Amino acid sequence: MFSYFSTAPEPQAERSTSIPVTHEPVLVLPTHITVPPIKPLTTSQIETLSQFRVSLPKFLASLEDHAVIKKDKSRLSEREKAWVDDECLLRYLRATKWNLEAAGVRLLTTLSWRRVYKPDEISPEEVEPEAESGKMFFN
């Protein structure tokens, strides 16, 4: 009826000696790794991207009405313009399985969050205590 499991630790698998362990970030791909080619967009995906571009002013106009944003900042700053290029729009469309409304809401939420928390304005001095602790985050 009941099954009891052993509390003995599992034997660790032997570590491969061909891959060295490093605590340094890998900034360049090794030559034996190839990045798969990007699949071209289908006709319907191109059409959806085009519709997203056309409807972008509607989403951006609602940015100033967004509950979090109280000031009139409907215009995009230079840094925010990076979030409405084709690559970023495609990322939001792919994340929502090409649902135009959902992608627009996600973009609006991102821009609102970035206006409130201003991650681009974080100075190195603000994160220095965390960096000195040895914690690392690679993006």
Side-chain angles (χ1 to χ4, degrees), residues 90-138:
L90 282 170
R91 184 169 52 128
Y92 284 99
L93 286 169
R94 286 184 184 116
T96 59
K97 297 186 177 160
W98 300 92
N99 181 325
L100 189 58
E101 283 298 315
V105 168
R106 283 187 181 209
L107 176 62
L108 175 65
T109 303
T110 297
L111 291 173
S112 297
W113 182 89
R114 296 184 71 78
R115 283 185 177 182
V116 171
Y117 293 100
K118 300 175 177 47
D120 296 335
E121 296 177 14
I122 297 173
S123 69
E125 292 77 27
E126 289 181 74
V127 295
E128 186 175 11
E130 290 295 321
E132 288 174 346
S133 72
K135 298 175 187 174
M136 289 193 231
F137 174 77
F138 300 109

